[in-house]
Amino acid sequence: MRTAALLVLLPVFALAQNEHAIRGRKSKPMPIQDDTAVVAPALERYAQGPLVELWKRPGLTPRDRSVVTLAALIARNQTVEMPHYFEAALESGVKPREISEIITHLAFYAGWGNAMSAVELVKPVFAARSIGADQLPAASPALLPLDQDAEQKRAAAVEQQFGKVAPGIVQYTTDVLFRDLWLRPGLAPRDRSLVTVSALIANGQAAQIPYHLNRAMDNGLTQEQAAEVITHLAFYAGWPNAFSALQVAKDVFEKRVK
């Protein structure tokens, strides 16, 4: 049985247990009260109260909350919780190809090692559900159309600022990230932005948030949803990281109104 104190952090998984049972799958019980209370009864109380309520808030769909949570866990390499949240994400409508793309995307935005840890933990989840290559994205698919004007402006700005400092990373940023990774069709642009913003907030990288939050909102993320992402991540990445993101988000929101 997995560490029970961490199992409490999956309020939606109880619903998944019922759905598993209906389809005849074997499911492990959720020993929330018995195991957690003997270690941290206050944690169990908060898990049964505010955390459960968080997942019911209307600002984000359960699917979006699953995407945000997975991004935070992978970015922070919090491996113990991942298998349960991979299961919950699939139950809430996140497709296997989207989970695959989330992991691939975060190799670049949270580090290769963190992505590889996630790969190892999602393998048995996929195997148990008979998820094979036919449900995963192609290694080299036809890419989405490139917004030439926006990309030229981005590339020029980065080149002007950092081209003489580290030309290698500037070139990789253009060729690998923005003209390849960001154009992969396995994850919608809005969701790719949602993953990126969530990872940046979760790791406290406030300096990178303005560009990507603006990009996320250009890709369809609303101000209400962006605010709810920060609220959700207060629980999964900590209040300090959430409040660091709040000031950045406030500035972004105010400038977009003007």
Side-chain angles (χ1 to χ4, degrees), residues 101-112:
E101 285 292 329
I102 288 170
I103 294 171
T104 301
H105 191 85
L106 289 174
F108 295 92
Y109 283 89
W112 214 266

Side-chain angles (χ1 to χ4, degrees), residues 117-189:
S117 293
V119 165
E120 288 301 309
L121 291 167
V122 82
K123 276 198 302 185
V125 175
F126 280 6
R129 290 171 173 259
S130 299
I131 294 170
D134 61 318
Q135 296 184 60
L136 301 180
S140 300
L143 299 178
L144 297 173
L146 176 67
D147 184 334
Q148 294 284 354
D149 184 57
E151 170 55 17
Q152 286 176 3
K153 289 178 180 178
R154 183 212 61 78
V158 174
E159 173 64 31
Q160 182 179 16
Q161 190 171 10
F162 300 117
K164 294 182 179 179
V165 179
I169 191 173
V170 170
Q171 194 63 49
Y172 279 128
T173 300
T174 294
D175 295 344
V176 180
L177 269 66
F178 287 97
R179 297 190 182 181
D180 191 333
L181 180 71
W182 275 88
L183 301 180
R184 290 179 57 82
L187 202 59

